[in-house]
Amino acid sequence: MTAVLEIRNLHVSVEDKPIIKGLNLTIRQGEIHALMGPNGTGKSTLAYTLLGHPNYTVTAGQMIFKGVDLLELEPDERARLGLFLAFQYPVAIPGVSVANFLRTAINSRRRANNPDDKGISIPEFRKLLKGKMDLLQMQHDFAGRYLNDGFSGGEKKRAEILQLATLEPEIAVLDETDSGLDIDALRIVASGVNTLAGPKLGVLVITHYQRILTYIKPQFVHIMMGGRIVESGGADLALHLEEHGYDWVREKYSEKTE
Amino acid sequence: MSTQNEELAKLSEYKYGFRDDVQYTFRSRQGLNAEVVTELSRMKGEPQWMLDFRLKALDVFNKKPMPTWGGDIQLNFDEITYYTRPSDKTEASWDDVPADIKNTFDKLGIPEAERKFLAGVGAQYESEMVYHSVQKHLEEQGVIFLSSDDGLRQHPDLFREHFGKVIPPTDNKFAACNSAVWSGGSFVYVPKGVKVEMPLQAYFRLNAEGTGQFERTLIIVDEGAQVHYVEGCTAPTYSRDSFHSGVIEIIVKQGARCRYSTIQNWSSNVYNLVTQRAVVHAGATMEWVDANLGSKLTMKYPSCYLVGEGAHGEILSMAFAGPGQHQDTGGKIIHGAANTSSKITSKSISKSGGRASYRGLLKVYKGAHGVKSSVVCDALLIDDQSRSDTYPVIEIDEDDVTIGHEASVSKVGEDQLFYLMSRGLDEEAATSMVVSGFIEPLVKELPMEYALEMNRLIQLQMEGSVG
């Protein structure tokens, strides 16, 4: 069965300030969506809200994933259900290696399904991780480094993609994965996402710039402004934005977003 | 009702809290006086000089005021039993150890560890070492690993030459107390050039309520020799407080190496007031690895006196302070010779109202030129009720030195927790992952078996920490 994430009339506040004001969006496994828009329109707020960051309060609306109301779930339960967020600013966990972290994450999932699960064996895990690193053309010594600790911008984003590859979610949100990357790093990260994309993965690419969309081809493009999606279309919509900027969107929707 | 439940919860968290019903061969009357000291010394059949030493130390103990710094010591010295004799001699075979006591050490996994990865084991129950054994090939090379009482009996001259020289009874009130009623502990001598590859381990167990344990350890590492000594400790949980006050004296001779590791896991009714000091000669290295997870209050500052040119001292200190616990720990390094170097790394974790204090002294004497030292203390707070303090003292009387000092306090961040939880770890697993990462630089210094044990203990401490 195809996993579906359905966001209905979502309203989100941060410290009592409304940021998202009635957002509707449906993403299915196998689809690639791009969510674009100027800074400060609530794109990242959507990403954090989907995973349940405690600072983001849903004041109205629903988020239904695989028939389950996400508002009833803690962030870890949402993750184990099959949601993934690639962070714009991945957090450093000093002293915890990438491998140790991923093995713990995998085991958390297995134990949630079956409390008696003994966890993935070390040889089995090594094989899995090496396979994923090969797939993403990563050096194996990456697994031994402390998670995001002293990583360059590009390394942090690649580590996010490695986690995406290893945890195999059904829907992944990539929050400004292109920010802070030079063109080579961007190409590497994008090709990683393309390697993983397919019928089993639905992707929501959140981005300010069209740049990343020359590498990751979305079937659906949405423009967000003032806390809502104001335009939706195909890949050509992104190209239109690239040529004309956001001004025409601002003009067209300024009254409505005020 | 709720307090009873809390007590039960505490008991279930601390897995070493079981008690044994042991028939002691002797238990002195409560309180500390010349009569108790004399009786103890007579029972041990000690030479007169030791009895004199003890009585003089008792005098020092009585005259010295309680320290006005550190932790809050609510001990009633008159209610402590200072000497408890579980069996009449130290055995070299577990089969000869009284069955109920052997059973305890079995439960603690000591004989099993001995078979697997230790060069020698000493096991102290209350006041006496009930077991002491070292591998045959080490004995043949002249390595001595005995209880201190047997050390005094069998090697009187070597013992007397070094005993009480590194830490005299006048050093502090608790060293004086130990000097008056010391019993048990290890006597270690590693001859010139002999390298003991596997660790020697001593295990300390307090069983009875309101009991004092005063082990006395003397380690002499002769020129170019090498040894790693490990101590572990546990006790049952009682409502009445117990008192553990050890004195550890170490002499590391020219070019030798000594590492002393502690995994202290006393139950939360034990006052743990310990003095540990090493004199480090030219080109020698002393390393203290000091992990304090248990006890009600620990005051312990392992020290290195670097007295020979090129000596090196290192202190790795780790403290975990849970509910009702105060870990006042750290270290002291005294640079008394040229081109000596030192490093202090301290990591503390406070949770659920626990308090961890780093207390350190770094001193460089005039003329000790070319000294290099670095001190790094990091504290991690798990929640808002917990507390961390840093009391670093640095006294430098020499200009030609390189000193670095860094300190940090961090809180387990909401962002760290959210990041880990967004990958499927629940809050407890996420918190515990941040904590194990925090102490990783220290844990990786331990031999694998102890690193695993340490990680397991930390997991245990973290369980139920998230409401």
Side-chain angles (χ1 to χ4, degrees):
Chain A
M1 210 178 80
T2 308
V4 182
L5 170 65
E6 198 181 349
I7 303 166
R8 295 181 199 145
N9 188 34
L10 185 71
H11 287 72
V12 180
S13 290
V14 180
E15 291 171 347
D16 294 332
K17 187 172 174 256
I19 306 287
I20 295 179
K21 304 160 189 170
L23 184 141
N24 294 286
L25 180 64
T26 300
I27 301 168
R28 290 178 179 79
Q29 217 175 354
E31 296 176 351
I32 300 183
H33 291 247
L35 181 65
M36 304 183 69
N39 289 326
T41 53
K43 301 191 299 293
S44 289
T45 298
L46 176 64
Y48 281 127
T49 305
L50 278 170
L51 265 297
H53 192 291
N55 291 357
Y56 298 80
T57 312
V58 174
T59 53
Q62 278 185 308
M63 302 180 290
I64 307 292
F65 179 47
K66 292 162 85 171
V68 180
D69 182 358
L70 289 182
L71 289 176
E72 301 289 323
L73 303 183
E74 292 296 319
D76 53 312
E77 295 169 315
R78 299 182 194 198
R80 294 197 295 263
L81 194 61
L83 266 187
F84 182 88
L85 170 61
F87 282 61
Q88 182 178 1
Y89 304 109
V91 183
I93 314 289
V96 177
S97 69
V98 171
N100 177 8
F101 162 62
L102 279 172
R103 199 161 82 90
T104 309
I106 288 174
N107 287 339
S108 296
R109 282 151 202 264
R110 289 172 59 142
R111 289 210 184 97
N113 293 333
N114 172 17
D116 295 329
D117 192 295
K118 293 275 176 276
I120 187 168
S121 75
I122 289 179
E124 192 188 344
F125 173 71
R126 278 209 189 114
K127 204 174 137 209
L128 171 77
L129 188 58
K130 273 188 186 159
K132 299 296 182 185
M133 288 194 291
D134 289 342
L135 186 70
L136 300 172
Q137 298 176 342
M138 296 172 79
Q139 301 289 325
H140 289 178
D141 61 4
F142 198 77
R145 293 177 62 190
Y146 293 157
L147 184 61
N148 297 324
D149 193 22
F151 283 17
S152 70
E155 284 172 336
K156 281 186 185 170
K157 299 299 167 74
R158 293 185 77 185
E160 294 293 288
I161 303 304
L162 177 63
Q163 294 175 42
L164 169 59
T166 312
L167 299 176
E168 298 180 340
E170 286 146 322
I171 303 281
V173 180
L174 310 185
D175 186 16
E176 308 248 2
T177 294
D178 50 339
S179 71
L181 296 189
D182 62 31
I183 196 76
D184 291 330
L186 178 62
R187 200 179 288 144
I188 293 168
V189 167
S191 92
V193 176
N194 287 330
T195 307
L196 303 174
K200 285 187 166 172
L201 179 65
V203 182
L204 176 64
V205 182
I206 294 177
T207 181
H208 180 72
Y209 300 104
Q210 196 270 341
R211 204 171 63 142
I212 191 172
L213 303 180
T214 50
Y215 302 102
I216 302 173
K217 296 285 179 210
Q219 294 116 340
F220 307 93
V221 175
H222 313 275
I223 300 173
M224 193 168 174
M225 191 160 276
R228 282 204 308 272
I229 288 175
V230 292
E231 291 269 339
S232 291
D236 50 330
L237 184 57
L239 292 173
H240 189 78
L241 273 180
E242 179 73 358
E243 255 171 66
H244 302 283
Y246 286 109
D247 284 350
W248 64 273
V249 193
R250 280 198 190 92
E251 272 166 37
K252 193 169 166 188
Y253 295 99
S254 59
E255 308 89 8
K256 293 178 192 171
T257 55
E258 282 307 307
Chain B
M1 193 61 204
S2 77
T3 45
Q4 194 188 343
N5 284 342
E6 280 163 26
E7 282 296 315
L8 284 174
K10 246 197 247 167
L11 280 175
S12 63
E13 263 175 51
Y14 182 73
K15 66 171 281 206
Y16 306 105
F18 58 86
R19 303 158 190 193
D20 306 307
D21 196 9
V22 168
Q23 295 301 316
Y24 296 106
T25 50
F26 177 78
R27 210 163 144 75
S28 67
R29 280 186 306 284
Q30 289 182 2
L32 182 52
N33 51 50
E35 213 177 307
V36 166
V37 169
T38 308
E39 188 174 25
L40 178 159
S41 183
R42 291 272 179 264
M43 282 187 76
K44 288 173 176 290
E46 287 178 347
Q48 186 63 36
W49 74 265
M50 185 55 82
L51 177 60
D52 295 344
F53 174 90
R54 288 180 183 278
L55 291 169
K56 232 158 88 186
L58 176 65
D59 202 36
V60 175
F61 172 74
N62 286 331
K63 282 183 184 145
K64 269 202 187 287
M66 290 291 279
T68 51
W69 49 274
D72 182 19
I73 302 168
Q74 296 286 344
L75 255 181
N76 186 342
F77 290 111
D78 296 332
E79 285 179 2
I80 295 289
T81 303
Y82 287 81
Y83 182 62
T84 308
R85 194 180 180 98
S87 68
D88 284 331
K89 70 187 241 268
T90 309
E91 304 294 350
S93 159
W94 283 109
D95 294 336
D96 299 329
V97 174
D100 38 7
I101 295 176
K102 175 180 181 286
N103 185 27
T104 294
F105 288 108
D106 270 335
K107 276 196 244 175
L108 297 166
I110 308 301
E112 192 194 346
E114 179 180 18
R115 285 192 296 273
K116 280 189 188 156
F117 62 90
L118 296 170
V121 165
Q124 179 157 349
Y125 198 86
E126 317 290 24
S127 299
E128 294 289 355
M129 280 278 176
V130 293
Y131 174 84
H132 233 280
S133 173
V134 65
Q135 285 178 357
K136 209 94 228 115
H137 73 98
L138 292 171
E139 213 169 54
E140 281 160 12
Q141 289 179 78
V143 174
I144 300 170
F145 182 54
L146 292 168
S147 74
S148 286
D149 297 276
D150 283 339
L152 170 62
R153 274 191 284 273
Q154 296 175 28
H155 304 275
D157 297 336
L158 186 63
F159 191 92
R160 192 173 182 178
E161 184 189 341
H162 296 96
F163 177 85
K165 300 297 191 298
V166 179
I167 303 169
T170 47
D171 190 82
N172 66 74
K173 190 170 178 79
F174 302 108
C177 175
N178 175 287
S179 298
V181 286
W182 74 268
S183 180
S186 299
F187 176 66
V188 179
Y189 173 75
V190 187
K192 275 184 193 173
V194 173
K195 292 184 165 54
V196 183
E197 304 287 350
M198 290 193 293
L200 299 173
Q201 167 146 5
Y203 201 92
F204 297 93
R205 176 77 181 170
L206 269 168
N207 179 59
E209 193 169 10
T211 299
Q213 188 177 61
F214 307 94
E215 95 272 7
R216 182 90 190 194
T217 288
L218 176 56
I219 299 175
I220 304 151
V221 194
D222 215 330
E223 292 174 13
Q226 189 178 314
V227 72
H228 183 188
Y229 182 94
V230 184
E231 62 162 354
C233 17
T234 60
T237 310
Y238 289 110
S239 53
R240 245 179 82 201
D241 294 330
S242 284
F243 179 27
H244 172 260
S245 182
V247 166
I248 318 297
E249 298 179 285
I250 300 182
I251 297 121
V252 196
K253 296 201 175 169
Q254 192 169 336
R257 251 191 120 82
C258 179
R259 174 178 274 209
Y260 189 106
S261 302
T262 303
I263 298 179
Q264 181 269 106
N265 194 22
W266 292 118
S267 54
S268 54
N269 57 308
V270 174
Y271 281 93
N272 184 46
L273 312 171
V274 176
T275 313
Q276 302 182 328
R277 188 173 303 159
V279 172
V280 192
H281 292 274
T285 295
M286 176 69 210
E287 296 167 304
W288 296 99
V289 179
D290 193 31
N292 291 292
L293 295 114
S295 83
K296 180 179 205 162
L297 167 68
T298 287
M299 287 171 68
K300 175 152 59 119
Y301 324 96
S303 316
C304 296
Y305 283 58
L306 308 174
V307 299
E309 176 146 14
H312 179 70
E314 228 167 278
I315 299 163
L316 290 167
S317 172
M318 201 212 86
F320 191 109
Q325 287 185 297
H326 182 185
Q327 307 285 8
D328 198 278
T329 58
K332 290 200 280 187
I333 304 261
I334 314 293
H335 289 269
N339 301 315
T340 47
S341 56
S342 64
K343 191 174 159 191
I344 300 179
T345 311
S346 161
K347 297 239 171 201
S348 74
I349 299 155
S350 316
K351 84 160 216 218
S352 312
R355 178 178 176 196
S357 315
Y358 168 80
R359 196 177 295 278
L361 170 67
L362 177 66
K363 184 167 177 67
V364 181
Y365 277 97
K366 181 96 194 132
H369 55 82
V371 161
K372 288 192 180 71
S373 176
S374 86
V375 180
V376 180
C377 357
D378 298 321
L380 183 68
L381 297 168
I382 305 290
D383 49 50
D384 293 328
Q385 305 104 54
S386 304
R387 176 171 168 189
S388 159
D389 324 87
T390 309
Y391 307 99
V393 176
I394 299 182
E395 294 171 10
I396 314 285
D397 300 328
E398 168 62 45
D399 296 328
D400 173 25
V401 296
T402 315
I403 308 282
H405 184 267
E406 291 169 46
S408 78
V409 180
S410 50
K411 214 180 151 249
V412 174
E414 202 170 58
D415 287 337
Q416 282 180 317
L417 289 184
F418 178 64
Y419 184 70
L420 294 175
M421 288 175 76
S422 81
R423 302 308 188 235
L425 278 68
D426 63 28
E427 193 174 350
E428 195 167 295
T431 309
S432 141
M433 177 157 267
V434 174
V435 169
S436 63
F438 176 74
I439 58 161
E440 158 74 14
L442 219 149
V443 169
K444 76 175 183 207
E445 291 299 318
L446 296 171
M448 194 182 63
E449 289 80 3
Y450 298 101
L452 291 175
E453 168 76 358
M454 187 69 129
N455 276 328
R456 216 178 45 73
L457 289 174
I458 291 285
Q459 297 292 335
L460 223 59
Q461 296 270 26
M462 291 308 299
E463 266 171 35
S465 67
V466 176

